[in-house]
Amino acid sequence: MDLSMSYDSYDYALAFLSMIFNEKTAIFGLIIGLLGCYLGFKLSKLCIGFCGFLTGIIIGVVLAIKNSNENYMVLGFFMAIVLAVLAYKLYKLGSALVAFINTAISVFLMKLLTFAEGGNLTSDDLKSTVILCCIAGIIAGILTFIFTKPMFIISTSISGGYISGLCLYILTEQTLILKILPVIFIATGIFVQIKTNHGLFETRTSKNIPEESAEL
């Protein structure tokens, strides 16, 4: 994958991508992807807390890059702790945040996979992809706030499926994996989560729904 560079703040993002997509991180990513794909709703509280923490870290990284000041990373760490706690306590808002991040990741990986066979990912490509990810994430977040359980299951299955497929591709370098496995993971992930969580939609008698699901 050729991550070409130009001289703006997106250079850091491109360099970061080239650093994280390697065989060592792929093993860890595969485990996380499979857990999200097949156990996303079961691990909803953990997912919500993690996404809150991740959001704070991302904000810190962005501020550090924009202001060329590493001290913002410390601010980002404290923000990560606060957001993790808030997301954990406010179930519906936390679920919307998870959907936003999962959808953004899914759209990003779908775009990234188009460059996996020797394509040229430029800063302009990355800018347009980030905008698309944000728009898709916002839509998914709003829908998840309204339809929490089904959207949570769908978003975690899709993001987990794409992450797992990409990680397996990095480990094997088999192009066929990119074309087939993500679809298989997503379909089976949704099926398994529906079966293990008493259906796709919430019911008052369903024991697996967290008590805070009715909260903001």
Side-chain angles (χ1 to χ4, degrees):
M1 187 186 304
D2 179 17
L3 299 179
S4 63
M5 307 290 287
S6 63
Y7 296 96
D8 58 26
S9 60
Y10 285 83
D11 292 346
Y12 295 97
L14 290 171
F16 181 68
L17 287 176
S18 63
M19 179 181 67
I20 64 173
F21 288 112
N22 56 63
E23 292 183 357
K24 293 181 180 179
T25 57
I27 296 174
F28 176 75
L30 178 61
I31 296 173
I32 296 299
L34 290 175
L35 285 174
C37 186
Y38 294 101
L39 297 173
F41 191 73
K42 288 288 188 184
L43 302 174
S44 59
K45 284 287 191 177
L46 180 62
C47 290
I48 289 171
F50 175 76
C51 285
F53 185 85
L54 181 62
T55 301
I57 292 296
I58 291 174
I59 292 174
V61 171
V62 171
L63 290 175
I65 291 174
K66 289 291 185 181
N67 297 279
S68 300
N69 189 339
E70 294 181 357
N71 291 331
Y72 282 98
M73 290 295 295
V74 178
L75 174 62
F77 179 76
F78 285 108
M79 290 181 62
I81 295 175
V82 173
L83 288 175
V85 173
L86 287 176
Y88 183 88
K89 291 295 184 181
L90 304 176
Y91 184 81
K92 274 186 172 288
L93 289 177
S95 297
L97 177 62
V98 172
F100 174 87
I101 293 178
N102 283 336
T103 303
I105 289 175
S106 300
V107 173
F108 181 78
L109 291 180
M110 281 189 282
K111 293 289 289 184
L112 190 64
L113 293 182
T114 63
F115 302 99
E117 298 182 49
N120 187 34
L121 178 61
T122 66
S123 292
D124 288 337
D125 294 323
L126 191 57
K127 290 176 183 177
S128 61
T129 299
V130 168
I131 294 173
L132 180 61
C133 289
C134 289
I135 294 174
I138 290 172
I139 294 174
I142 293 173
L143 289 175
T144 301
F145 188 83
I146 301 172
F147 308 105
T148 304
K149 183 181 178 182
M151 286 299 298
F152 202 105
I153 289 175
I154 292 171
S155 66
T156 52
S157 295
I158 292 176
S159 62
Y162 271 111
I163 290 172
S164 301
L166 179 61
C167 289
L168 281 175
Y169 168 75
I170 293 172
L171 293 170
T172 63
E173 296 186 354
Q174 297 294 319
T175 306
L176 188 61
I177 287 178
L178 282 177
K179 299 178 179 179
I180 297 178
L181 278 188
V183 177
I184 295 176
F185 282 139
I186 292 168
T188 56
I190 293 175
F191 177 80
V192 169
Q193 289 206 59
I194 290 175
K195 287 296 183 180
T196 56
N197 291 289
H198 308 287
L200 184 61
F201 295 95
E202 296 177 354
T203 59
R204 293 184 178 180
T205 57
S206 181
K207 297 181 180 180
N208 65 302
I209 299 174
E211 295 178 358
E212 294 85 356
S213 61
E215 299 179 5
L216 288 180

Short mmCIF file of all heavy atoms in Angstrom, two decimals, residues 91-141:
data_model
loop_
_atom_site.label_atom_id
_atom_site.label_comp_id
_atom_site.label_asym_id
_atom_site.label_seq_id
_atom_site.Cartn_x
_atom_site.Cartn_y
_atom_site.Cartn_z
N TYR A 91 -26.12 5.70 28.70
CA TYR A 91 -26.10 4.55 27.80
C TYR A 91 -26.46 4.90 26.35
O TYR A 91 -25.75 4.52 25.42
CB TYR A 91 -27.05 3.48 28.32
CG TYR A 91 -27.03 2.21 27.49
CD1 TYR A 91 -26.02 1.28 27.68
CD2 TYR A 91 -27.99 1.97 26.52
CE1 TYR A 91 -25.99 0.12 26.92
CE2 TYR A 91 -27.97 0.82 25.76
CZ TYR A 91 -26.96 -0.11 25.96
OH TYR A 91 -26.91 -1.23 25.20
N LYS A 92 -27.55 5.62 26.15
CA LYS A 92 -27.97 5.92 24.79
C LYS A 92 -26.98 6.83 24.06
O LYS A 92 -26.66 6.61 22.89
CB LYS A 92 -29.37 6.55 24.79
CG LYS A 92 -30.50 5.54 24.79
CD LYS A 92 -31.84 6.21 24.65
CE LYS A 92 -32.96 5.21 24.44
NZ LYS A 92 -32.93 4.58 23.12
N LEU A 93 -26.49 7.84 24.76
CA LEU A 93 -25.50 8.72 24.14
C LEU A 93 -24.20 7.97 23.89
O LEU A 93 -23.54 8.15 22.86
CB LEU A 93 -25.23 9.93 25.05
CG LEU A 93 -26.36 10.96 25.13
CD1 LEU A 93 -25.98 12.08 26.12
CD2 LEU A 93 -26.66 11.55 23.76
N GLY A 94 -23.85 7.09 24.83
CA GLY A 94 -22.66 6.26 24.64
C GLY A 94 -22.80 5.33 23.46
O GLY A 94 -21.86 5.12 22.69
N SER A 95 -24.00 4.76 23.31
CA SER A 95 -24.26 3.87 22.17
C SER A 95 -24.17 4.64 20.85
O SER A 95 -23.66 4.12 19.85
CB SER A 95 -25.65 3.24 22.29
OG SER A 95 -25.72 2.43 23.45
N ALA A 96 -24.67 5.88 20.84
CA ALA A 96 -24.59 6.71 19.64
C ALA A 96 -23.12 7.00 19.30
O ALA A 96 -22.74 7.01 18.12
CB ALA A 96 -25.35 8.02 19.85
N LEU A 97 -22.31 7.22 20.33
CA LEU A 97 -20.88 7.45 20.11
C LEU A 97 -20.21 6.22 19.52
O LEU A 97 -19.39 6.33 18.60
CB LEU A 97 -20.21 7.84 21.44
CG LEU A 97 -18.68 8.05 21.39
CD1 LEU A 97 -18.33 9.19 20.46
CD2 LEU A 97 -18.15 8.31 22.80
N VAL A 98 -20.56 5.04 20.04
CA VAL A 98 -20.02 3.79 19.50
C VAL A 98 -20.39 3.64 18.03
O VAL A 98 -19.55 3.27 17.19
CB VAL A 98 -20.54 2.57 20.30
CG1 VAL A 98 -20.14 1.28 19.62
CG2 VAL A 98 -19.98 2.60 21.72
N ALA A 99 -21.65 3.92 17.70
CA ALA A 99 -22.11 3.81 16.32
C ALA A 99 -21.37 4.79 15.42
O ALA A 99 -21.00 4.46 14.28
CB ALA A 99 -23.61 4.04 16.23
N PHE A 100 -21.16 6.01 15.92
CA PHE A 100 -20.42 7.01 15.15
C PHE A 100 -19.02 6.51 14.82
O PHE A 100 -18.58 6.54 13.66
CB PHE A 100 -20.33 8.32 15.93
CG PHE A 100 -19.46 9.36 15.26
CD1 PHE A 100 -20.00 10.22 14.31
CD2 PHE A 100 -18.11 9.45 15.56
CE1 PHE A 100 -19.20 11.18 13.69
CE2 PHE A 100 -17.31 10.40 14.94
CZ PHE A 100 -17.85 11.26 14.00
N ILE A 101 -18.32 6.03 15.84
CA ILE A 101 -16.94 5.55 15.64
C ILE A 101 -16.92 4.31 14.76
O ILE A 101 -16.10 4.20 13.83
CB ILE A 101 -16.28 5.28 17.00
CG1 ILE A 101 -16.08 6.60 17.75
CG2 ILE A 101 -14.94 4.57 16.81
CD1 ILE A 101 -15.48 6.44 19.13
N ASN A 102 -17.82 3.35 15.02
CA ASN A 102 -17.84 2.12 14.22
C ASN A 102 -18.14 2.41 12.76
O ASN A 102 -17.52 1.83 11.85
CB ASN A 102 -18.89 1.16 14.78
CG ASN A 102 -18.43 0.45 16.03
OD1 ASN A 102 -17.24 0.32 16.27
ND2 ASN A 102 -19.37 0.00 16.84
N THR A 103 -19.10 3.29 12.51
CA THR A 103 -19.46 3.63 11.13
C THR A 103 -18.33 4.37 10.44
O THR A 103 -18.01 4.09 9.27
CB THR A 103 -20.74 4.48 11.10
OG1 THR A 103 -21.79 3.77 11.76
CG2 THR A 103 -21.15 4.79 9.67
N ALA A 104 -17.72 5.31 11.16
CA ALA A 104 -16.60 6.05 10.58
C ALA A 104 -15.45 5.10 10.24
O ALA A 104 -14.84 5.22 9.16
CB ALA A 104 -16.12 7.12 11.56
N ILE A 105 -15.17 4.16 11.13
CA ILE A 105 -14.11 3.17 10.87
C ILE A 105 -14.46 2.32 9.66
O ILE A 105 -13.61 2.05 8.80
CB ILE A 105 -13.89 2.29 12.11
CG1 ILE A 105 -13.22 3.09 13.24
CG2 ILE A 105 -13.04 1.07 11.76
CD1 ILE A 105 -13.08 2.33 14.53
N SER A 106 -15.72 1.88 9.59
CA SER A 106 -16.15 1.02 8.48
C SER A 106 -16.01 1.73 7.13
O SER A 106 -15.48 1.17 6.17
CB SER A 106 -17.60 0.58 8.68
OG SER A 106 -17.75 -0.16 9.88
N VAL A 107 -16.49 2.98 7.07
CA VAL A 107 -16.38 3.75 5.83
C VAL A 107 -14.92 4.00 5.48
O VAL A 107 -14.52 3.88 4.31
CB VAL A 107 -17.13 5.10 5.96
CG1 VAL A 107 -16.89 5.98 4.73
CG2 VAL A 107 -18.62 4.86 6.15
N PHE A 108 -14.12 4.31 6.49
CA PHE A 108 -12.69 4.55 6.26
C PHE A 108 -12.01 3.30 5.71
O PHE A 108 -11.23 3.38 4.75
CB PHE A 108 -12.02 4.99 7.56
CG PHE A 108 -10.55 5.27 7.40
CD1 PHE A 108 -10.12 6.46 6.84
CD2 PHE A 108 -9.61 4.34 7.81
CE1 PHE A 108 -8.77 6.72 6.68
CE2 PHE A 108 -8.26 4.59 7.65
CZ PHE A 108 -7.84 5.78 7.10
N LEU A 109 -12.31 2.15 6.30
CA LEU A 109 -11.69 0.91 5.84
C LEU A 109 -12.16 0.53 4.44
O LEU A 109 -11.38 0.02 3.64
CB LEU A 109 -11.98 -0.23 6.83
CG LEU A 109 -11.30 -0.12 8.19
CD1 LEU A 109 -11.69 -1.31 9.07
CD2 LEU A 109 -9.79 -0.05 8.04
N MET A 110 -13.44 0.79 4.14
CA MET A 110 -13.94 0.51 2.79
C MET A 110 -13.17 1.33 1.76
O MET A 110 -12.81 0.83 0.69
CB MET A 110 -15.44 0.81 2.71
CG MET A 110 -16.32 -0.28 3.29
SD MET A 110 -18.09 -0.03 2.94
CE MET A 110 -18.49 1.23 4.14
N LYS A 111 -12.91 2.60 2.09
CA LYS A 111 -12.14 3.45 1.19
C LYS A 111 -10.68 3.01 1.14
O LYS A 111 -10.05 2.99 0.08
CB LYS A 111 -12.23 4.91 1.65
CG LYS A 111 -13.61 5.51 1.52
CD LYS A 111 -14.00 5.75 0.08
CE LYS A 111 -13.20 6.88 -0.52
NZ LYS A 111 -13.62 7.20 -1.91
N LEU A 112 -10.16 2.64 2.31
CA LEU A 112 -8.75 2.25 2.38
C LEU A 112 -8.49 0.97 1.60
O LEU A 112 -7.42 0.83 0.98
CB LEU A 112 -8.36 2.05 3.85
CG LEU A 112 -6.87 1.86 4.13
CD1 LEU A 112 -6.09 3.12 3.76
CD2 LEU A 112 -6.63 1.51 5.60
N LEU A 113 -9.45 0.07 1.60
CA LEU A 113 -9.27 -1.18 0.88
C LEU A 113 -9.13 -0.97 -0.62
O LEU A 113 -8.55 -1.80 -1.32
CB LEU A 113 -10.45 -2.13 1.16
CG LEU A 113 -10.56 -2.65 2.60
CD1 LEU A 113 -11.74 -3.60 2.72
CD2 LEU A 113 -9.29 -3.32 3.04
N THR A 114 -9.65 0.14 -1.13
CA THR A 114 -9.51 0.42 -2.56
C THR A 114 -8.08 0.75 -2.94
O THR A 114 -7.71 0.69 -4.10
CB THR A 114 -10.42 1.60 -2.98
OG1 THR A 114 -10.00 2.78 -2.29
CG2 THR A 114 -11.87 1.31 -2.64
N PHE A 115 -7.26 1.08 -1.93
CA PHE A 115 -5.86 1.39 -2.19
C PHE A 115 -4.94 0.23 -1.79
O PHE A 115 -3.72 0.34 -1.91
CB PHE A 115 -5.43 2.63 -1.41
CG PHE A 115 -6.23 3.84 -1.74
CD1 PHE A 115 -7.28 4.24 -0.90
CD2 PHE A 115 -5.97 4.60 -2.86
CE1 PHE A 115 -8.04 5.36 -1.19
CE2 PHE A 115 -6.73 5.72 -3.17
CZ PHE A 115 -7.76 6.10 -2.33
N ALA A 116 -5.53 -0.86 -1.33
CA ALA A 116 -4.72 -1.95 -0.77
C ALA A 116 -3.92 -2.71 -1.82
O ALA A 116 -2.94 -3.37 -1.49
CB ALA A 116 -5.62 -2.92 -0.01
N GLU A 117 -4.31 -2.63 -3.08
CA GLU A 117 -3.62 -3.37 -4.12
C GLU A 117 -2.65 -2.46 -4.88
O GLU A 117 -2.56 -2.52 -6.11
CB GLU A 117 -4.62 -4.00 -5.08
CG GLU A 117 -5.55 -5.00 -4.40
CD GLU A 117 -6.50 -5.65 -5.40
OE1 GLU A 117 -6.02 -6.10 -6.45
OE2 GLU A 117 -7.70 -5.68 -5.13
N GLY A 118 -1.92 -1.63 -4.15
CA GLY A 118 -0.92 -0.79 -4.80
C GLY A 118 -1.41 0.57 -5.20
O GLY A 118 -0.76 1.28 -5.96
N GLY A 119 -2.59 0.96 -4.71
CA GLY A 119 -3.12 2.27 -5.04
C GLY A 119 -2.34 3.37 -4.34
O GLY A 119 -1.50 3.13 -3.48
N ASN A 120 -2.64 4.60 -4.70
CA ASN A 120 -1.91 5.75 -4.16
C ASN A 120 -2.84 6.59 -3.30
O ASN A 120 -3.72 7.28 -3.80
CB ASN A 120 -1.35 6.58 -5.32
CG ASN A 120 -0.45 7.69 -4.81
OD1 ASN A 120 0.25 7.52 -3.82
ND2 ASN A 120 -0.46 8.81 -5.49
N LEU A 121 -2.66 6.53 -1.98
CA LEU A 121 -3.49 7.29 -1.05
C LEU A 121 -2.83 8.63 -0.78
O LEU A 121 -1.77 8.71 -0.18
CB LEU A 121 -3.65 6.51 0.26
CG LEU A 121 -4.46 7.19 1.37
CD1 LEU A 121 -5.89 7.44 0.89
CD2 LEU A 121 -4.47 6.31 2.62
N THR A 122 -3.46 9.70 -1.23
CA THR A 122 -2.90 11.04 -1.08
C THR A 122 -3.61 11.79 0.04
O THR A 122 -4.62 11.33 0.58
CB THR A 122 -3.05 11.83 -2.38
OG1 THR A 122 -4.45 12.04 -2.64
CG2 THR A 122 -2.44 11.08 -3.56
N SER A 123 -3.08 12.95 0.36
CA SER A 123 -3.71 13.78 1.40
C SER A 123 -5.11 14.21 0.99
O SER A 123 -6.02 14.28 1.83
CB SER A 123 -2.84 15.02 1.67
OG SER A 123 -1.64 14.65 2.29
N ASP A 124 -5.32 14.52 -0.29
CA ASP A 124 -6.66 14.90 -0.77
C ASP A 124 -7.65 13.76 -0.59
O ASP A 124 -8.81 13.97 -0.22
CB ASP A 124 -6.59 15.32 -2.23
CG ASP A 124 -5.91 16.68 -2.41
OD1 ASP A 124 -5.88 17.45 -1.43
OD2 ASP A 124 -5.41 16.94 -3.52
N ASP A 125 -7.18 12.53 -0.89
CA ASP A 125 -8.04 11.35 -0.68
C ASP A 125 -8.42 11.22 0.78
O ASP A 125 -9.57 10.93 1.12
CB ASP A 125 -7.31 10.07 -1.12
CG ASP A 125 -7.05 10.04 -2.62
OD1 ASP A 125 -7.91 10.51 -3.37
OD2 ASP A 125 -5.98 9.54 -3.02
N LEU A 126 -7.45 11.44 1.65
CA LEU A 126 -7.69 11.30 3.08
C LEU A 126 -8.67 12.36 3.58
O LEU A 126 -9.55 12.07 4.39
CB LEU A 126 -6.37 11.40 3.84
CG LEU A 126 -6.40 11.01 5.32
CD1 LEU A 126 -6.91 9.59 5.49
CD2 LEU A 126 -5.02 11.16 5.94
N LYS A 127 -8.54 13.58 3.08
CA LYS A 127 -9.44 14.66 3.50
C LYS A 127 -10.89 14.33 3.14
O LYS A 127 -11.80 14.46 3.96
CB LYS A 127 -9.03 15.97 2.85
CG LYS A 127 -7.73 16.56 3.37
CD LYS A 127 -7.35 17.81 2.60
CE LYS A 127 -6.02 18.37 3.05
NZ LYS A 127 -5.60 19.55 2.26
N SER A 128 -11.11 13.93 1.89
CA SER A 128 -12.47 13.63 1.45
C SER A 128 -13.02 12.42 2.18
O SER A 128 -14.22 12.36 2.49
CB SER A 128 -12.48 13.38 -0.06
OG SER A 128 -11.66 12.27 -0.41
N THR A 129 -12.15 11.46 2.48
CA THR A 129 -12.59 10.27 3.21
C THR A 129 -13.00 10.62 4.63
O THR A 129 -13.99 10.11 5.15
CB THR A 129 -11.47 9.21 3.24
OG1 THR A 129 -11.15 8.83 1.90
CG2 THR A 129 -11.91 7.98 4.02
N VAL A 130 -12.25 11.49 5.30
CA VAL A 130 -12.57 11.91 6.67
C VAL A 130 -13.93 12.60 6.71
O VAL A 130 -14.74 12.35 7.61
CB VAL A 130 -11.47 12.84 7.21
CG1 VAL A 130 -11.94 13.52 8.51
CG2 VAL A 130 -10.19 12.07 7.47
N ILE A 131 -14.19 13.46 5.73
CA ILE A 131 -15.49 14.15 5.67
C ILE A 131 -16.62 13.14 5.50
O ILE A 131 -17.66 13.22 6.18
CB ILE A 131 -15.50 15.17 4.51
CG1 ILE A 131 -14.51 16.30 4.80
CG2 ILE A 131 -16.91 15.74 4.29
CD1 ILE A 131 -14.32 17.26 3.65
N LEU A 132 -16.43 12.19 4.59
CA LEU A 132 -17.43 11.16 4.35
C LEU A 132 -17.66 10.32 5.61
O LEU A 132 -18.81 10.00 5.95
CB LEU A 132 -16.99 10.26 3.20
CG LEU A 132 -17.94 9.11 2.82
CD1 LEU A 132 -19.29 9.67 2.37
CD2 LEU A 132 -17.32 8.25 1.71
N CYS A 133 -16.58 9.99 6.31
CA CYS A 133 -16.68 9.21 7.54
C CYS A 133 -17.49 9.95 8.60
O CYS A 133 -18.33 9.35 9.29
CB CYS A 133 -15.29 8.91 8.09
SG CYS A 133 -14.34 7.71 7.13
N CYS A 134 -17.26 11.25 8.73
CA CYS A 134 -17.97 12.05 9.72
C CYS A 134 -19.46 12.13 9.42
O CYS A 134 -20.30 11.99 10.32
CB CYS A 134 -17.38 13.46 9.79
SG CYS A 134 -15.73 13.52 10.54
N ILE A 135 -19.79 12.33 8.15
CA ILE A 135 -21.21 12.41 7.76
C ILE A 135 -21.92 11.09 8.03
O ILE A 135 -23.00 11.05 8.62
CB ILE A 135 -21.34 12.79 6.27
CG1 ILE A 135 -20.81 14.21 6.04
CG2 ILE A 135 -22.79 12.67 5.81
CD1 ILE A 135 -20.76 14.61 4.59
N ALA A 136 -21.30 9.99 7.60
CA ALA A 136 -21.89 8.66 7.82
C ALA A 136 -21.99 8.36 9.31
O ALA A 136 -22.99 7.79 9.78
CB ALA A 136 -21.05 7.59 7.11
N GLY A 137 -20.97 8.74 10.07
CA GLY A 137 -20.97 8.49 11.51
C GLY A 137 -22.07 9.25 12.24
O GLY A 137 -22.72 8.71 13.14
N ILE A 138 -22.29 10.50 11.84
CA ILE A 138 -23.35 11.31 12.46
C ILE A 138 -24.72 10.70 12.20
O ILE A 138 -25.56 10.61 13.11
CB ILE A 138 -23.29 12.76 11.94
CG1 ILE A 138 -22.03 13.46 12.48
CG2 ILE A 138 -24.55 13.53 12.36
CD1 ILE A 138 -21.78 14.82 11.88
N ILE A 139 -24.95 10.28 10.97
CA ILE A 139 -26.23 9.65 10.63
C ILE A 139 -26.44 8.39 11.45
O ILE A 139 -27.52 8.15 12.01
CB ILE A 139 -26.29 9.34 9.12
CG1 ILE A 139 -26.29 10.63 8.30
CG2 ILE A 139 -27.53 8.50 8.80
CD1 ILE A 139 -26.19 10.42 6.81
N ALA A 140 -25.39 7.56 11.53
CA ALA A 140 -25.49 6.31 12.30
C ALA A 140 -25.70 6.59 13.78
O ALA A 140 -26.47 5.89 14.45
CB ALA A 140 -24.23 5.47 12.10
N GLY A 141 -25.05 7.63 14.30
CA GLY A 141 -25.21 7.99 15.70
C GLY A 141 -26.62 8.39 16.04
O GLY A 141 -27.17 7.98 17.08
#
